[in-house]
Amino acid sequence: MADRICRAKKSLILAVAVLLLTGCAGRPLIEREIVRAIFFAREDGKEHAVLLLQNQESEDSSDYEVASGEGDSAAQALADAAESLDGVMFYGLTDLVTLPADCDWEQLQEFASLLYETAQPSPEITLFVMDSRTRDNLEQTAGDLYDEMQAVEKKYRISCGLESVLSQANQAILPCWQETGYGIAVLRAGAPPLRYVEPVRAQLAAVLCGQSRKLEFVFSDGSISCTAGATVLFHALRDRTQVILRLQDASLSSLTQDIPNEEQTLRRLLSAELEDAFAQLCADTRAIGADPFRLGFWQACLQGAPGNDLPAELVVEYA
Amino acid sequence: MELQKQKLSTSLQENLAYLQQMFGSSSDFYTKQLTLGQIPCAIALFTGISSPEKLWVMALDALERCPVPTNDGTQLLSYLLTRSVIPAENSPVKDTTDLIEKLANGMSVLLIDGCPAALAVSTQEMPQRSISQPNGEGDIRGSQEAFTELLRNNISLLRRQFRTGSFVAEVHAAQTHAKTEYCLCYDRKLAPPEMIDTLRRRLQEVQIPVLLDSAYFASFLKQDKLNLFPAAAYTERPATACARLCEGKAVILVSGSPYAMVVPSFFSEHFESLDDYSSGAVFAGMIRILKYIAFLLSVFGPGLYVMAVEFAPETIPIKLLAKLAQAEASTPLPLMLEMLGVTLLLEIVREAGLRAPQSISHTVSLVGALILGETAVSAGIVSIPVLTMAAAATVATLAVPSLYEQSILFRFIVIVLAGAFGLPGLAGGAVIILAMACGTEPFGYDYLFPLMPLGRASWRDGIVRAIWTRLAEKGYVVGKDETR
Amino acid sequence: MKRDNPSLYGALQLGLLVNVLLRAQTLFWTREGLATLLSGILVTAAVGLVFARTWPLAQCLALRCGFIALLLAGSGLDILSLWQLYSAVYPDVVNLFGICLTVLIPVAYLRRVSAIAQTANVVLGLLLVACVILVLSVAERLRICNLQMAAMGEADCLDAMRAQCTLYPELLLPALWPDHEKRGTHTVLRLAAFGAVFNIGVHLLLELFFGAAMPDARNPLHQAARCGALSVFDRLEWLQLIVWTMAVSVKLALHLYAVTRLADAPRTTENSLTAMPFFAGYAAVLLFLCAVARNWDFAVMSQWRNVAAWGFAAAVAGIGGIRWLTGFAAPKKA
């Protein structure tokens, strides 16, 4: 009995020693380079990656550092940036990635697969298509840019995660960064990307493809401002697809004296503006063979055939 | 050394010589020779635990007033046992082992010349601690009595609360060197007979050098020796013991111990208290859930912290992470060792405060708190977040005091596994603890009852407590509601 | 509350869930899966039932050894798939030996049938709660229009059928133990249906979440989980991983119990524990297997395991069938 207890004790001590020797692979926080955002850029035929890192010397979470690298591919640029740092890269808290301004569908796929492989264990990464900033500019403004993008994402309730950009087989829709608000880029395999910078079209496109649930814009002529929550309903009819945009808590105001500040008038003008924007979006996307709003899907579900040639109309309703 | 059992001699002198040989050197051993009628007799007792006054009142006075009708020793014994008014023990003492046992129990023994047996009279008068309030089980309402060290008193405390004919208190002598007595109490109508039979058999089989507490039995009742969960629960409250008896469980009292052992014991019992049933159901339910959370915090809190900081920083909000990184950078030890060290130090301070004489225990606690709380942090030996987490876990442990030992051991296991392997280590620790709980089978019953399997019983008096009207509908009894 | 007849049905269910969660996803599209669901259930259940009937007739030393090998291979694959998952999520942090230790050490406490049964029930409950939390946390991101509308192809349907006809050891195991450790007579059928429906459910969730990117997603369930944020913590995938690791431990314990029965290994009479040296041997064999196979192609190994399982079931059915036809009397002990 005593012999057995002695053996059990020895085994226990051995097990604990093995545990301690084989494990202990944890890494102190201070040795990690915590990446908050990655800004990809393309300049002179080279790929650049600017990493926004958490400053580990500071207790303030909004204190950042910047590292950058370049290479023939985005992966090389990212590796180059990582090599310039002493610590171990940690992408677990990366929540923003921007892509070069001229990014098309094929490049998007490359970036997505690079992020899937590299950025582990990563949370939902929000993707933006960047404006045409240079690497130097990005290095200087990365911290502010990150904060501004976060603010815009929060303000317009944008959600464009890495997992959702490739949810359609040959097309994607992504928000684009611009100084005021955001734009939208429609990427289609084998076609040049479409980019909408005008707020009404960009925000309408984001709402219709499910990336946002809020409209907050001023008409391009500066006449009316609008703020509203938005939900979308698709009705597939035999001869057309009806997209019902339901606006909640809409707040409209006239910004010029030409337009009376009457609710009915403003609503009528808003509806007309949105319908125009929708028609333009449909025409443009059809021209490159894209269907970012999945109108074909609803036709196929409810009418049995995709009906890609059927017209689509937007109906604006106020809740 | 086992004394040889031998029959009493018919000669009074031989019996007295035997006793003199055994106890002659003991100053509390007292004998007095006297003559009853024409028969030489002797009284033997221990003065500290037996009262000569009681003996006078109960026996000698009566014998002096009533003349003895015989000159034969054996007939005298028969007369005293069956016809006299003396309240003697029913059976005569026939051998030396029984004689010594009776004397050690505080009885007075009357040895009679010419008779190979003696008469025992219950004249015990033991020094004892009065019934006081329980120290370790804080309850606001309900009975404030606690068990004492005297077995008979403890049985009487139980019987006073349990006033039915079905209450059974079996007193046995354990197989120890000191022949310590223990009492197996149960309700004949409620307790499953097979469980009581098994328990009785196992207790009788226990061979142990010394039995000072009911907890000594626990290890012998355990099925799986590697399992850290307790095989029994303990209480110093007769009221709690009585409640357990009403659930069909058995209570074991050991002479000299003010703690009763309750078997079988289930996991959920550690989260119950008498106050749960005195206060409102909603409040009691909330407190019970808080206790479960406290237990989980005490076991997994430090390990989870080590795992999150060392292996999975992405689970920590970024604002907190910056502060943790700074704190970690200011200390020299790896986080796992730091957490182990602080937890160990807290245990040392607790142990020192507990074991030190009362007059200096406060000083020990104060010095410990100062060293840990102030000096160690300012010297950069430990960081504030680690200290906070370790202290929170220690405080949480005290919310479920009966699982203190387990909480501490499990905490160390989880810290080591999580520190060594991260997420899978934490998962391994969790499944080890779960497997221990699920693998415990006190007398063939589910240790996790009524928590698992999840059913109506879980919500009636398990995870939370139902209102009394529902509880009163059908109280649970061990082995009688297996269908739920 | 009395543990007279512990049922291992929960442990078998848990084993099937582990198969789905760790390696069976993204093999087919939901629509094709639904179309072939019934046939998948019927085929696997039929194999399980035939195996259960023929095993008592066919069992011999060689087949017992074959079954043990199959179970060891299955256990090894489970550990390797868990290791791959951890390696993808936490690269360079957790090694294979660490994973082996952390899933095998708890098995030392799961050497009794009742402990396996009860622990499996608790872990099954935790796993289902974790799944519900996962679904709730990503509910906002599930989009119906992510479902793929391409016309159903024959190849896709075949893929779905093949995936659903994977023969996991859990469907064969009920043949090994006495009736009271199962649950009713239709254990295999219910298990097959449960596993297939859960598999389809997971695929539906993934397709709603990933859309066309589903087959390309590495460890898709983990990727979906990381987007969920219901708690004060920023994410939930660590919780998922913990529960999956616990489930793997229980599955290994179930396999150990089956190996113990097959090898007729010593079990203490009082509490029917599998002897510690036998457990140590089982752990050592698994450590060796994992070390050898760590660099092998996981997909190929899974396919070979499936082929071996089918071959083994066919051999048992064949031998058992012949013995039944020739009037062979089955030994009383299963």
Side-chain angles (χ1 to χ4, degrees):
Chain A
M1 184 69 183
D3 189 37
R4 198 179 292 174
I5 291 171
C6 188
R7 244 186 295 158
K9 274 183 188 169
K10 277 182 188 167
S11 312
L12 199 68
I13 291 166
L14 190 70
V16 171
V18 169
L19 277 178
L20 293 172
L21 287 173
T22 57
C24 294
R27 219 172 280 281
L29 282 174
I30 204 76
E31 286 179 15
R32 295 184 190 268
E33 300 289 355
I34 298 173
V35 181
R36 302 296 305 279
I38 308 170
F39 300 92
F40 287 109
R42 194 171 294 130
E43 218 176 299
D44 307 327
K46 287 264 181 190
E47 299 286 346
H48 297 268
V50 177
L51 305 182
L52 184 72
L53 305 153
Q54 186 69 42
N55 184 359
Q56 296 280 57
E57 306 282 307
S58 167
E59 279 193 16
D60 184 3
S61 62
S62 56
D63 202 352
Y64 307 114
E65 286 175 336
V66 173
S68 57
E70 65 171 33
D72 294 332
S73 66
Q76 282 181 6
L78 201 59
D80 188 41
E83 269 177 31
S84 68
L85 296 162
D86 297 328
V88 176
M89 303 306 290
F90 181 71
Y91 294 96
L93 288 157
T94 310
D95 52 7
L96 181 79
V97 171
T98 68
L99 307 178
D102 56 349
C103 178
D104 58 18
W105 166 253
E106 286 74 20
Q107 288 161 355
L108 173 68
Q109 286 197 307
E110 283 173 26
F111 279 116
S113 72
L114 171 67
L115 290 171
Y116 270 134
E117 282 178 14
T118 316
Q120 295 282 2
S122 179
E124 185 199 9
I125 294 174
T126 302
L127 292 173
F128 271 91
V129 176
M130 185 42 89
D131 54 15
S132 54
R133 285 174 204 243
T134 60
R135 171 181 166 172
D136 291 343
N137 191 306
L138 278 172
E139 283 175 350
Q140 285 160 13
T141 59
D144 294 337
L145 204 55
Y146 174 76
D147 290 338
E148 285 168 21
M149 283 178 159
Q150 293 279 319
V152 164
E153 198 183 329
K154 201 172 172 184
K155 181 181 175 187
Y156 294 101
R157 295 187 220 158
I158 306 169
S159 88
C160 178
L162 179 60
E163 85 290 342
S164 64
V165 290
L166 300 179
S167 63
Q168 303 309 320
N170 49 13
Q171 61 186 11
I173 189 159
L174 283 145
C176 313
W177 176 249
Q178 52 196 41
E179 289 301 334
T180 55
Y182 67 96
I184 278 286
V186 180
L187 312 183
R188 161 81 187 169
L194 286 177
R195 188 164 179 148
Y196 294 99
V197 295
E198 198 268 318
V200 180
R201 285 178 197 173
Q203 292 188 25
L204 178 64
V207 166
L208 293 182
C209 71
Q211 288 186 1
S212 172
R213 281 179 297 166
K214 192 179 179 191
L215 296 173
E216 187 172 346
F217 52 75
V218 176
F219 283 16
S220 50
D221 60 0
S223 56
I224 296 173
S225 77
C226 163
T227 306
T231 53
V232 187
L233 209 63
F234 293 89
H235 278 184
L237 307 171
R238 280 184 188 281
D239 55 342
R240 66 185 190 283
T241 310
Q242 204 173 46
V243 180
I244 298 168
L245 180 70
R246 189 164 289 161
L247 301 180
Q248 291 120 14
D249 304 324
S251 166
L252 301 167
S253 56
S254 167
L255 302 177
T256 61
Q257 289 184 342
D258 301 341
I259 301 168
N261 217 349
E262 291 171 1
E263 190 71 11
Q264 288 303 319
T265 313
L266 294 173
R267 283 188 174 185
R268 185 168 44 77
L269 289 169
L270 175 65
S271 299
E273 184 75 14
L274 289 170
E275 282 160 18
D276 283 351
F278 180 70
Q280 187 65 54
L281 284 169
C282 286
D284 293 346
T285 53
R286 267 191 194 156
I288 59 166
D291 180 18
F293 312 134
R294 306 290 288 141
L295 303 179
F297 172 83
W298 295 110
Q299 277 291 344
C301 284
L302 301 171
Q303 296 295 338
N308 287 332
D309 300 329
L310 292 176
E313 66 172 358
L314 183 78
V315 178
V316 182
E317 289 181 356
Y318 295 88
Chain B
M1 187 183 70
E2 190 66 36
L3 285 173
Q4 230 172 7
K5 197 170 180 175
Q6 64 181 64
K7 297 228 175 260
L8 285 183
S9 166
T10 49
S11 160
L12 175 65
Q13 290 311 317
E14 275 183 27
N15 289 334
L16 279 175
Y18 175 78
L19 285 176
Q20 203 60 37
Q21 185 197 341
M22 292 294 291
F23 303 119
S25 57
S26 302
S27 61
D28 59 343
F29 182 65
Y30 168 81
T31 53
K32 178 175 172 60
Q33 295 196 34
L34 65 155
T35 309
L36 291 178
Q38 302 294 317
I39 306 169
C41 298
I43 292 162
L45 54 88
F46 284 106
T47 51
I49 54 174
S50 187
S51 163
E53 289 84 4
K54 271 190 184 176
L55 180 66
W56 171 254
V57 172
M58 288 167 72
L60 300 180
D61 189 30
L63 285 171
E64 199 175 74
R65 277 189 274 119
C66 306
V68 177
T70 178
N71 288 330
D72 180 64
T74 312
Q75 283 177 359
L76 173 61
L77 180 71
S78 170
Y79 166 76
L80 292 173
L81 278 172
T82 55
R83 282 180 284 160
S84 79
V85 294
I86 299 170
E89 293 290 298
N90 289 334
S91 53
V93 179
K94 288 185 174 169
D95 55 60
T96 50
T97 314
D98 198 17
L99 174 68
I100 292 166
E101 211 169 273
K102 290 276 189 316
L103 285 171
N105 278 341
M107 293 185 189
S108 302
V109 176
L110 181 70
L111 298 160
I112 303 166
D113 192 36
C115 175
L119 184 79
V121 185
S122 287
T123 56
Q124 291 107 324
E125 191 175 74
M126 308 235 180
Q128 58 172 297
R129 184 164 64 91
S130 60
I131 295 169
S132 58
Q133 287 196 343
N135 293 324
E137 285 175 76
D139 275 313
I140 298 167
R141 295 191 188 160
S143 164
Q144 297 298 322
E145 281 177 344
F147 285 122
T148 64
E149 284 75 5
L150 211 60
L151 183 63
R152 260 49 182 200
N153 272 7
N154 292 344
I155 297 171
S156 66
L157 283 171
L158 275 181
R159 192 175 285 285
R160 207 176 61 189
Q161 301 224 17
F162 209 98
R163 297 166 63 182
T164 69
S166 55
F167 174 72
V168 180
E170 295 175 7
V171 177
H172 302 277
Q175 292 193 51
T176 65
H177 180 68
K179 295 286 174 205
T180 312
E181 276 186 327
Y182 65 88
C183 176
L184 173 62
C185 308
Y186 57 92
D187 185 304
R188 195 187 299 119
K189 286 183 181 164
L190 298 176
E194 68 278 14
M195 183 190 87
I196 296 297
D197 292 343
T198 312
L199 181 60
R200 192 186 293 118
R201 179 174 53 78
R202 285 206 197 164
L203 290 177
Q204 281 168 354
E205 283 170 0
V206 171
Q207 289 189 356
I208 190 170
V210 62
L211 179 65
L212 300 179
D213 189 30
S214 48
Y216 286 28
F217 281 131
S219 176
F220 295 91
L221 300 177
K222 229 177 190 180
Q223 205 174 17
D224 186 357
K225 310 296 179 205
L226 283 173
N227 202 321
L228 296 177
F229 275 103
Y234 304 93
T235 182
E236 49 181 331
R237 285 178 176 273
T240 306
C242 181
R244 299 297 176 217
L245 288 170
C246 291
E247 290 171 358
K249 293 175 181 170
V251 169
I252 297 156
L253 298 160
V254 169
S255 178
S257 167
Y259 288 92
M261 182 166 82
V262 182
V263 284
S265 147
F266 299 141
F267 182 69
S268 63
E269 283 169 17
H270 299 285
F271 301 85
E272 295 169 3
S273 70
L274 278 183
D275 279 348
D276 282 2
Y277 301 93
S278 311
S279 49
V282 178
F283 182 73
M286 189 190 76
I287 293 295
R288 213 174 268 187
I289 289 170
L290 278 179
K291 282 184 186 174
Y292 283 109
I293 294 171
F295 178 70
L296 290 176
L297 174 70
S298 70
V299 172
F300 290 105
L304 198 62
Y305 175 83
V306 171
M307 185 277 291
V309 173
E310 290 274 288
F311 290 88
E314 75 277 4
T315 56
I316 304 170
I318 189 75
K319 283 183 182 170
L320 186 58
L321 197 66
K323 287 185 169 54
L324 294 183
Q326 285 302 302
E328 199 191 337
S330 62
T331 55
L333 287 172
L335 189 60
M336 182 181 88
L337 294 181
E338 193 182 334
M339 185 63 86
L340 279 176
V342 170
T343 312
L344 273 173
L345 272 175
L346 284 172
E347 282 313 300
I348 290 168
V349 170
R350 186 196 67 87
E351 194 64 19
L354 192 70
R355 308 286 169 216
Q358 217 165 12
S359 54
I360 60 163
S361 66
H362 293 296
T363 317
V364 171
S365 304
L366 195 68
V367 169
L370 273 178
I371 289 170
L372 281 176
E374 290 287 332
T375 327
V377 171
S378 54
I381 297 167
V382 293
S383 62
I384 293 174
V386 168
L387 192 59
T388 311
M389 180 47 78
T394 305
V395 171
T397 311
L398 301 175
V400 193
S402 54
L403 282 176
Y404 191 91
E405 292 169 27
Q406 287 71 30
S407 297
I408 300 297
L409 291 172
F410 290 151
R411 190 185 308 160
F412 280 118
I413 291 172
V414 172
I415 292 174
V416 169
L417 284 173
F421 301 114
L423 219 57
L426 192 76
V431 79
I432 285 174
I433 294 166
L434 185 63
M436 278 190 200
C438 293
T440 307
E441 284 180 24
F443 296 90
Y445 295 100
D446 271 340
Y447 184 58
L448 289 182
F449 179 84
L451 305 177
M452 284 298 295
L454 209 60
R456 267 184 296 172
S458 316
W459 303 106
R460 201 171 56 208
D461 195 11
I463 301 167
V464 292
R465 173 178 88 72
I467 52 172
W468 259 114
T469 45
R470 273 201 66 205
L471 278 182
E473 278 171 14
K474 201 176 178 185
Y476 103 78
V477 173
V478 169
K480 301 244 167 114
D481 58 347
E482 294 164 17
T483 50
R484 277 169 293 157
Chain C
M1 86 198 276
K2 184 88 174 172
R3 281 186 178 180
D4 284 338
N5 297 320
S7 164
L8 287 170
Y9 185 72
L12 292 169
Q13 278 183 316
L14 192 68
L16 286 173
L17 295 199
V18 169
N19 294 330
V20 174
L21 292 171
L22 286 184
R23 60 170 178 265
Q25 63 264 35
T26 71
L27 294 171
F28 54 86
W29 296 106
T30 312
R31 201 174 35 157
E32 283 78 0
L34 276 171
T36 55
L37 175 66
L38 193 60
S39 52
I41 292 172
L42 289 177
V43 169
T44 46
V47 173
L49 286 171
V50 169
F51 185 85
R53 288 293 165 91
T54 50
W55 174 254
L57 295 169
Q59 58 174 316
C60 60
L61 185 62
L63 286 177
R64 281 170 178 269
C65 290
F67 206 170
I68 289 173
L70 197 64
L71 287 169
L72 288 173
S75 303
L77 274 177
D78 286 328
I79 296 176
L80 286 173
S81 57
L82 190 69
W83 172 57
Q84 284 195 339
L85 181 62
Y86 272 109
S87 303
V89 182
Y90 298 105
D92 304 327
V93 171
V94 184
N95 56 31
L96 178 59
F97 187 58
I99 293 285
C100 287
L101 283 184
T102 48
V103 292
L104 281 171
I105 290 173
V107 180
Y109 287 95
L110 292 168
R111 289 177 290 132
R112 198 184 299 129
V113 184
S114 55
I116 299 172
Q118 183 74 296
T119 311
N121 286 332
V122 177
V123 176
L124 191 64
L126 287 175
L127 196 65
L128 292 179
V129 169
C131 284
V132 170
I133 291 175
L134 167 69
V135 173
L136 287 178
S137 69
V138 297
E140 204 183 13
R141 293 158 211 273
L142 301 179
R143 289 180 187 156
I144 292 173
C145 58
N146 279 350
L147 293 173
Q148 298 303 296
M149 296 305 294
M152 270 204 286
E154 197 180 330
D156 287 341
C157 285
L158 274 174
D159 281 347
M161 184 69 193
R162 208 174 295 131
Q164 297 203 46
C165 287
T166 307
L167 195 59
Y168 293 113
E170 282 70 29
L171 294 170
L172 307 180
L173 286 179
L176 289 186
W177 38 77
D179 283 339
H180 67 78
E181 290 179 22
K182 304 170 190 169
R183 185 185 283 179
T185 48
H186 304 300
T187 309
V188 176
L189 183 63
R190 270 187 286 177
L191 277 174
F194 175 80
V197 169
F198 184 77
N199 201 358
I200 294 285
V202 168
H203 277 82
L204 178 65
L205 173 76
L206 295 175
E207 196 170 331
L208 288 171
F209 189 79
F210 287 102
M214 184 177 83
D216 302 324
R218 286 175 63 195
N219 309 311
L221 210 54
H222 160 255
Q223 280 173 0
R226 76 185 188 186
C227 291
L230 266 185
S231 62
V232 288
F233 295 98
D234 282 351
R235 42 217 286 186
L236 288 171
E237 87 274 21
W238 61 278
L239 191 63
Q240 294 283 333
L241 282 174
I242 284 177
V243 182
W244 295 1
T245 312
M246 292 170 79
V248 170
S249 282
V250 178
K251 193 181 176 188
L252 294 182
L254 182 73
H255 284 192
L256 171 65
Y257 173 61
V259 171
T260 311
R261 287 193 78 94
L262 283 166
D264 214 5
R267 290 167 74 80
T268 56
T269 47
E270 192 195 357
N271 48 23
S272 71
L273 268 176
T274 298
M276 197 54 139
F278 193 80
F279 158 72
Y282 172 77
V285 170
L286 281 184
L287 278 170
F288 175 74
L289 281 179
C290 291
V292 169
R294 60 183 300 166
N295 293 323
W296 295 359
D297 188 336
F298 185 75
V300 175
M301 282 195 290
S302 297
Q303 281 173 3
W304 274 110
R305 206 279 320 265
N306 191 32
V307 169
W310 272 97
F312 178 71
V316 169
I319 296 169
I322 291 166
R323 288 189 172 177
W324 179 67
L325 286 171
T326 53
F328 175 80
K332 279 182 182 171
K333 200 176 83 175

